[in-house]
């Protein structure tokens, strides 16, 4: 009997369309451990380990969320609150490159002070129970000049090889770094749990290839870098010594490093992966024509991620803009493909430092493949360059909270492919779905979103999944999957003694109060949520008996608890959120208790209690779940327009040169900015007297640069967005004239802009205009 026929025979089946079928009975790759040569796994805070399928913490499966935040790209005085924002967003591991040329700004002079004080940064992670993943290069890329290797070392050695002169310099750098980190490794009770060796390494030849990665690991261990996990990046034909390091993977919703000036084909990150973990071109600066090592290592290493794009950078020749769903759908799909460490690059944006007047960004003219802003490294990240919480943050948090609460269940589950799969990434008609399951429990993942490409609705949809004890068809009544939907549903999920057969809602987190546990779910489709339980289960909501199950069609409501009582008397409460409310959910510790907070404001949880912030809106609304709604208004200055004068008219921008390693549009030379229009304005000296404030610049042009006198404060490539600049870091510069220069954007510029940006351009040979300046205060409230 086929699965489709079996599903059709079940009660409630819509005969017009057979359920989509999948067999989830295979147990997956046999579990093994001890075969990978890692460092010390035990410490005062427990034991970390890994098998060939997942990470472990104190012997239990563990599926953490890791987010990249470059400490040298953010002012040290604000590190603590930014780490608290990351923790509130569900990040459990903070990763950071240690960019060599950020800390060695003159030959032989390594400086770990100020914004380079890595020991303080890592200690702050420890203070707030965040783990830390060290990425010290020596070649990091990170859109940095020479990948972060100082100019004088590039000039005097053969970088990225076993050249003794180069390794001597790496030894010097890594020894200095290790001196700062002594006592902060996991084995010592510190937060440092891992170390990435090199980055995007695929070079082969004498003194390179696997031998170089092996030499770097040996050097690290000789110096004293003893960690539970050694990794390398696993894409773009990577090479590494098997068993000595574990590959980590990634993928981005667009490719700003591409030389194409048109919309890209659908990205493979929106497909579920069943045969390979390696995404396509992730922008490695070197090329290798041989097969990489990561795909051949799938049976022996877990599927770990380090660079799933929390955003993408805006580069000179290509300026894509991401919607929250572009990121959230892609990472949900990768988790449904078996990812067992969800690592983001970047999770927090930043700004490049200047080194004695020199800029440190990647440029084609310095041999890089890309042209990047001198200062801005915003990355469209969930937390932006100035610490602003961006909309994509809200789209990701429910997934992060789920992994924290239930990741130990998901991690051991094998990935199963449906009977009918898309023919490829361009096939938008075939529904994309997968199941991760073990025994009779699992999670059914669906993705119907592909960036920049319309997807069809799928009416009358049900799924038949064959599990260990038989087939199950969900939901009981067919549903329409709308365009751009992405979600996962639980199957056979235990809820504190109550069995949930299935739900058309996504589990988010578990909290508890004096009356016991509460499991919070988020609706995935419009209308009521279908919840199914074994026969004999009692519900505090209307229900029906069908096919051996008790089924409720419950409307989501953040102010209503559903009590479920199992036949044996075990009882639990469920709280169902609609999709909009789920994006307003924050989870954190309040007075030592895990709490769920519903608010449209940005939240973080400090030792003194939660802090709410929002731009331009003095009224705060919030609700602790379960509990009543509350509100408050705070006093402060209102948003206002800022007057400006045009102090210099635009000249004619020179034609854009095609060339460089990418053989594409190159960023204009500095001399080209003599054609920039200039606008002068003065911000109030007390603009940040209460918290932060943001300058919003609505402009059109090619390159914008903001100056206080001769000091460059920030820069941007125009991409259609309003340019938002946080002002508290510039508080001592307020009250005096600033200048904004705008290099004209030529109509014939061979660069990529999204259609939404193109639509905002006025006709003409070139444009360099400032539409408005607005000062937007940030308000704060502590509920």
């Amino acid at each position: 009997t086929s699965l489709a026929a079996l599903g059709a025979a079940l009660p409630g089946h819509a005969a017009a369309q057979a359920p989509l079928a999948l067999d989830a009975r295979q147990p997956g790759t046999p579990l093994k451990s001890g075969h990978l040569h890692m460092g010390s796994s035990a410490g005062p805070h427990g034991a970390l380990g890994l098998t060939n399928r997942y990470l472990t913490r104190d012997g239990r499966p563990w599926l953490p969320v890791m987010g990249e935040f470059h400490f040298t790209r953010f002012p040290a005085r604000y590190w603590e609150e930014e780490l608290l924002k990351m923790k509130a967003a569900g990040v459990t591991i903070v990763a950071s490159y240690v960019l060599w040329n950020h800390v060695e700004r003159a030959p032989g002079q390594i400086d770990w002070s100020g914004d380079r004080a890595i020991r303080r940064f890592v200690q702050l992670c420890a203070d707030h129970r965040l783990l830390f993943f060290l990425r010290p290069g020596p070649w990091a890329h990170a859109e940095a000049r020479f990948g972060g290797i100082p100019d004088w070392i590039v000039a005097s050695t053969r970088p990225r090889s076993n050249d003794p002169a180069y390794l001597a310099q790496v030894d010097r750098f890594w020894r200095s770094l290790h001196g700062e980190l002594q006592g902060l490794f996991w084995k010592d009770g510190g937060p440092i749990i891992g170390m990435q060796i090199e980055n995007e390494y695929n070079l082969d030849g004498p003194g390179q290839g696997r031998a170089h990665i092996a030499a770097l690991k040996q050097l690290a261990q000789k110096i004293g870098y003893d960690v539970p996990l050694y990794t390398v990046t696993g894409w773009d034909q990577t090479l590494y010594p098997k068993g000595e390091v574990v590959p980590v993977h990634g993928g981005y919703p667009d490719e700003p490093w591409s030389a194409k000036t048109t919309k890209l084909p659908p990205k493979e990150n929106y497909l579920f992966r069943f045969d390979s973990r390696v995404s396509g071109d992730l922008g490695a600066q070197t090329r290798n024509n041989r097969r990489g090592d990561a795909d051949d290592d799938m049976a022996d290493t877990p599927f770990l991620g380090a660079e799933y794009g929390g955003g993408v950078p805006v580069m000179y020749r290509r300026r894509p803009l991401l919607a929250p769903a572009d990121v959230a759908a892609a990472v949900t799909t990768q988790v449904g493909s078996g990812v067992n460490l969800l690592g983001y690059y970047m999770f927090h944006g930043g700004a490049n430092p200047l080194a004695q007047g020199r800029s440190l960004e990647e440029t084609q003219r310095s041999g890089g493949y890309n042209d990047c802003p001198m200062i801005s490294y915003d990355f469209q990240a969930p937390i932006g360059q100035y610490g602003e919480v961006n909309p994509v943050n809200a789209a990701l948090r429910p997934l992060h909270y789920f992994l924290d609460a239930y990741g130990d269940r998901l991690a051991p589950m094998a990935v199963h492919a449906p009977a009918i799969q898309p023919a490829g990434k361009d096939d938008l008609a075939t529904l994309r779905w997968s199941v991760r399951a073990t025994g009779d429990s699992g999670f059914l993942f669906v993705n119907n979103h592909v960036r920049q490409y319309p997807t069809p609705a799928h009416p009358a949809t049900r799924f038949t999944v064959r599990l260990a004890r038989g087939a199950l068809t969900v939901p009981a009544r067919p549903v329409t999957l709308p365009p751009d939907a992405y979600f996962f549903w639980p199957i056979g999920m235990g809820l504190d003694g109550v069995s949930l057969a299935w739900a058309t809602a996504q589990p988010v987190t578990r909290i508890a109060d004096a009356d016991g546990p509460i499991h919070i779910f988020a609706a995935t489709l419009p209308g009521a949520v279908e919840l199914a339980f074994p026969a004999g289960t009692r519900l505090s909501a209307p229900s029906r008996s069908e096919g051996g199950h008790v089924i409720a069609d419950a409307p989501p409501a953040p102010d209503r608890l559903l009590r479920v009582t199992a036949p044996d008397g075990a009882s639990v409460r469920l709280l169902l959120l609609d999709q909009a409310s789920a994006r307003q959910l924050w989870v954190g510790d309040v007075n030592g208790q895990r709490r769920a907070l519903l608010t449209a404001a940005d939240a973080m949880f400090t030792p003194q209690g939660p802090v709410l912030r929002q731009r331009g809106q003095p009224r705060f609304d919030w609700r602790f779940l379960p509990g009543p709604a509350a509100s408050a208004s705070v006093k402060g200055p209102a948003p206002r327009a800022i007057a400006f004068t045009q102090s210099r008219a635009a000249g004619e921008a020179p034609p854009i040169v095609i060339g460089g390693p990418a053989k594409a549009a190159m960023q204009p030379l500095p001399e080209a900015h003599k054609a920039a229009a200039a606008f002068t304005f003065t911000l109030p000296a007390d603009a940040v007297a209460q918290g932060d404030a943001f300058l919003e610049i609505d402009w059109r042009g090619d390159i914008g640069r903001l100056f206080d006198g001769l000091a460059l404060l920030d820069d941007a490539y125009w991409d259609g967005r309003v340019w938002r600049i946080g002002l508290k870091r510039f508080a001592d510069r307020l009250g005096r004239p600033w200048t904004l220069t705008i290099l004209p954007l030529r109509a014939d510029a061979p660069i990529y802009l999204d259609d939404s940006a193109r639509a905002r351009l006025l006709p003409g040979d070139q444009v360099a205009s400032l539409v408005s300046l607005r000062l937007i205060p940030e308000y704060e409230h502590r509920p």
Side-chain angles (χ1 to χ4, degrees), residues 136-138 170-178 195 216 220 223 225:
V170 175
D171 183 286
R172 178 178 61 84
F173 169 46
W174 279 6
R175 283 186 186 278
S176 177
L177 173 61
H178 185 266
M195 179 180 186
L216 288 175
I223 292 170
Y225 291 95

Side-chain angles (χ1 to χ4, degrees), residues 677-737:
F679 304 86
T680 303
F681 59 93
T682 301
L683 297 176
D686 61 351
V688 294
Q690 298 181 6
D692 204 352
F694 290 83
L695 175 65
E696 293 189 347
I697 305 172
D698 189 357
W699 64 297
R700 311 286 187 277
D702 190 7
I703 303 175
R705 291 180 173 177
L706 182 62
F707 293 90
D708 172 16
L710 297 178
L712 177 63
L713 305 183
D714 200 2
D715 61 342
Y717 301 144
W718 187 77
D719 54 24
R721 291 180 295 172
V722 170
W723 185 6
R724 182 181 294 122
I725 296 174
L727 296 176
K728 67 182 179 182
R729 70 179 62 177
F730 303 126
D732 60 344
R733 296 180 178 273
L734 298 175
R736 57 198 193 205

Side-chain angles (χ1 to χ4, degrees), residues 308-581:
Y308 289 103
V312 294
V314 171
M315 296 182 177
Y316 183 74
R317 64 177 174 264
R318 189 168 181 85
R319 309 176 188 186
L321 296 181
L322 301 186
D326 295 340
V327 175
V331 297
T332 300
T333 303
Q334 298 311 301
V335 172
S337 301
V339 162
N340 270 340
L341 165 63
L342 180 54
Y344 291 95
Y345 188 99
M346 300 286 295
F347 198 85
H348 197 306
N352 292 319
L354 298 176
Q356 300 175 346
R358 293 184 300 108
S359 61
L360 295 174
E361 82 283 7
E362 177 186 354
T363 64
Q364 290 198 81
R365 287 186 171 87
S366 65
Y369 197 74
N370 308 301
D371 286 312
C372 302
M374 295 174 66
I375 300 291
S376 177
Y377 200 67
D378 175 75
F379 223 87
Q380 303 179 59
I383 304 175
Q385 175 178 344
Y386 293 98
E388 66 274 30
V389 176
N390 289 320
V392 66
N393 193 305
L396 296 172
R397 289 196 306 271
L399 173 61
H400 300 168
Y401 298 152
F402 164 80
L403 295 177
D404 181 64
Y406 308 110
D408 59 334
R409 308 185 193 189
L410 180 66
M413 292 181 173
V415 179
H416 303 277
I420 299 175
Q421 301 177 38
K425 58 189 177 70
D426 297 322
D427 179 357
L428 305 177
T430 305
L431 185 65
R432 300 159 182 232
W433 66 291
S434 77
V435 168
R436 292 185 67 171
T438 182
D440 287 304
S441 297
F443 296 92
L444 188 155
F445 289 80
V446 172
N447 177 38
N448 197 28
H449 175 90
V450 178
R451 167 174 152 76
Q452 294 185 319
Y453 288 88
T455 54
H458 293 268
T461 299
R462 294 199 300 166
F463 304 88
T464 293
V465 180
R466 185 180 288 277
L467 298 165
R469 287 190 293 185
L472 191 68
T473 297
V474 299
R477 296 178 177 174
V479 296
T480 294
L481 304 183
D484 296 314
Y486 58 93
F487 57 82
F488 53 92
W489 293 340
I491 298 174
M493 185 177 183
L495 302 175
D496 289 282
V498 172
S499 177
L500 175 65
W502 73 79
T504 59
Q506 184 169 307
V508 178
T509 193
R510 178 191 183 277
I511 59 174
D513 62 12
D515 294 328
I518 301 170
H519 293 266
I520 299 177
F521 286 72
T524 56
L525 301 172
V529 171
E530 185 176 283
L531 300 164
F533 301 91
T537 304
R538 302 189 306 277
L539 309 179
S540 65
S543 60
R544 65 185 189 275
S545 293
E546 187 174 315
H549 292 96
V550 176
I551 301 175
D553 294 301
D559 59 351
R560 188 182 309 134
L561 288 170
L562 171 66
R563 181 169 289 278
V564 184
T565 304
D568 64 0
S571 181
V572 73
R573 291 166 295 161
L574 307 184
L575 195 154
L576 304 177
L577 300 178
D578 58 80
Q579 291 176 308
S581 296

